[in-house]
Amino acid sequence: MASEATVLTVDGPHGPREVRISSPSRVLWPELGITKLDLARYLVDVGEAFVRANGDRPVSLQRFPENVDGEDFFSKNPPRGTPDYVRSVTVTYPSARSHPQLVIDEPAAAVWAAQMNTIVFHPWPSRAEDPDNPDQLRIDLDPQPGTGFDEAIPAALALREVLAEAGLTAFVKTSGNRGLHVFAPIEPVREFLDVRHAVIGAARELERRMPDRVTTAWWKEERGQRVFVDFNQANRDRTIAGAYSPRALPHASVSCPITWDELESVDPRSFTILTVPERLRTVGDPWAGFSDEPGSIDTLFSWWERDLENGLGELPFPPDYPKMPGEPPRVQPSRAKKTPAD
């Protein structure tokens, strides 16, 4: 007996494609009853804006075989049966190992990914043709316990000013949870480590201006009730949910681009796969011109170099990274060995 299935016709730059959706009535968000077919139709509705933001980039797919309350895994390599219109590109990981990674170039590819149980899309900050040199500077403003979205707002506004002083145009989107993502288009002429250092330069400048409200402390025990400026999202093979990507949260939220004028009045919980298509139709895409005027990270990098000269060194890398030059010990401060008293 044939299994339940439906076929969606998805328009794109190469004409319409038919994408088969198996188990379309399977509920992915139990609290709201949102199904796999609802997700696929969402990606059809936002397809143009979704591809503009996430296309032509290596992408990791966060897949949920059952629903958002169940287990998940990350898929980077093209799985068996990948359609011929979904390409891949070889990228190099921090381990120096190289492997092909999926690239989404048209809405049908995103819908196919939904058919493969993808809910969250994690694009790289670099283009498929030049994966080693990011063309996006990304900063994740992550509220810590005792803080929330309201505390992230002034941090984002101040960060916008910092980036503007460095010659960069900032764009903002909700994370889909409690935080904010601040991006800036940059010229793809420097590799990941340079971009990481530019991000640290911006983060430290923001921390100097708002010491009681933001922190660059990598260890959670040192952050307090402040917004963490997550510099490690700038590393190679470190990604955050892309613009218009759904999130695996009970209310089916979306990481949604917003204007700076909206920032102080929006409710991030209002952006869901049920509401964002209508927002795009009526408000438009605040990130439509994102890539029009890329800037240089030279000024931010000079701030990093200035801080080095003043005794501020490298910050810790994620635990799965090889040991990096100049990096401090990856030991939680409370667990570090104490020097015996003389």
Side-chain angles (χ1 to χ4, degrees):
M1 182 177 177
S3 63
E4 176 194 16
T6 191
V7 174
L8 292 182
T9 300
V10 185
D11 292 330
H14 305 291
R17 300 193 192 275
E18 292 189 342
V19 183
R20 181 179 182 273
I21 305 297
S22 62
S23 304
S25 61
R26 179 159 58 83
V27 175
L28 297 180
W29 283 272
E31 287 193 14
L32 301 177
I34 296 174
T35 66
K36 185 176 180 180
L37 183 58
D38 294 328
L39 171 60
R41 286 175 171 161
Y42 165 78
L43 291 167
V44 173
D45 290 342
V46 303
E48 182 180 351
F50 182 92
V51 172
R52 182 165 53 237
N54 305 300
D56 191 31
R57 301 179 183 279
V59 63
S60 298
L61 308 179
Q62 190 175 358
R63 297 163 61 183
F64 292 75
E66 298 299 328
N67 58 51
V68 297
D69 296 330
E71 295 183 357
D72 67 293
F73 64 96
F74 282 83
S75 178
K76 300 180 180 182
N77 306 330
R80 181 178 301 178
T82 300
D84 58 9
Y85 57 84
V86 180
R87 66 179 171 123
S88 61
V89 63
T90 298
V91 299
T92 301
Y93 299 116
S95 65
R97 179 176 59 88
S98 295
H99 216 281
Q101 190 146 343
L102 290 161
V103 179
I104 290 176
D105 288 321
E106 57 179 285
V111 176
W112 164 81
Q115 156 60 17
M116 300 299 292
N117 303 312
T118 301
I119 289 179
V120 191
F121 295 78
H122 299 261
W124 278 40
S126 53
R127 296 283 180 175
E129 290 73 22
D130 188 13
D132 295 327
N133 295 299
D135 70 336
Q136 294 178 344
L137 182 142
R138 302 173 171 180
I139 300 179
D140 179 10
L141 296 175
D142 182 13
Q144 299 303 290
T147 66
F149 187 79
D150 288 345
E151 285 72 31
I153 291 171
L157 292 170
L159 178 57
R160 182 192 187 192
E161 294 180 1
V162 168
L163 295 177
E165 290 172 21
L168 296 174
T169 301
F171 291 75
V172 65
K173 66 183 179 75
T174 64
S175 70
N177 197 356
R178 302 187 312 132
L180 286 165
H181 297 158
V182 177
F183 282 38
I186 59 175
E187 299 165 351
V189 295
R190 288 181 180 260
E191 51 90 22
F192 276 91
L193 189 59
D194 285 349
V195 175
R196 167 194 163 87
H197 290 157
V199 167
I200 292 174
R204 282 174 166 159
E205 181 61 27
L206 180 63
E207 187 177 34
R208 277 188 283 266
R209 299 183 187 192
M210 308 178 74
D212 298 326
R213 305 175 78 175
V214 305
T215 179
T216 60
W218 175 245
W219 302 105
K220 291 183 179 180
E221 64 185 39
E222 295 183 329
R223 294 176 187 171
Q225 293 186 3
R226 293 177 287 181
V227 174
F228 174 48
V229 188
D230 191 351
F231 52 87
N232 266 331
Q233 296 294 358
N235 289 332
R236 179 184 294 272
D237 195 34
R238 276 298 181 277
T239 56
I240 51 183
Y244 299 108
S245 171
R247 300 301 307 270
L249 295 170
H251 58 290
S253 59
V254 167
S255 181
C256 188
I258 57 177
T259 68
W260 287 104
D261 289 340
E262 293 178 289
L263 177 57
E264 293 181 273
S265 60
V266 298
D267 175 3
R269 293 179 60 89
S270 69
F271 302 127
T272 74
I273 70 168
L274 301 178
T275 64
V276 167
E278 179 63 19
R279 171 181 165 83
L280 271 172
R281 283 189 288 269
T282 56
V283 176
D285 179 11
W287 283 24
F290 182 96
S291 300
D292 291 350
E293 296 182 8
S296 168
I297 67 167
D298 288 354
T299 296
L300 291 182
F301 194 80
S302 73
W303 294 357
W304 155 263
E305 291 181 318
R306 174 202 63 198
D307 288 342
L308 279 183
E309 293 176 359
N310 291 333
L312 294 176
E314 184 61 274
L315 293 176
F317 283 76
D320 58 329
Y321 262 60
K323 184 68 176 176
M324 301 296 288
E327 183 186 3
R330 295 183 196 174
V331 180
Q332 189 173 336
S334 61
R335 296 184 179 179
K337 291 182 178 179
K338 305 298 183 181
T339 302
D342 292 336

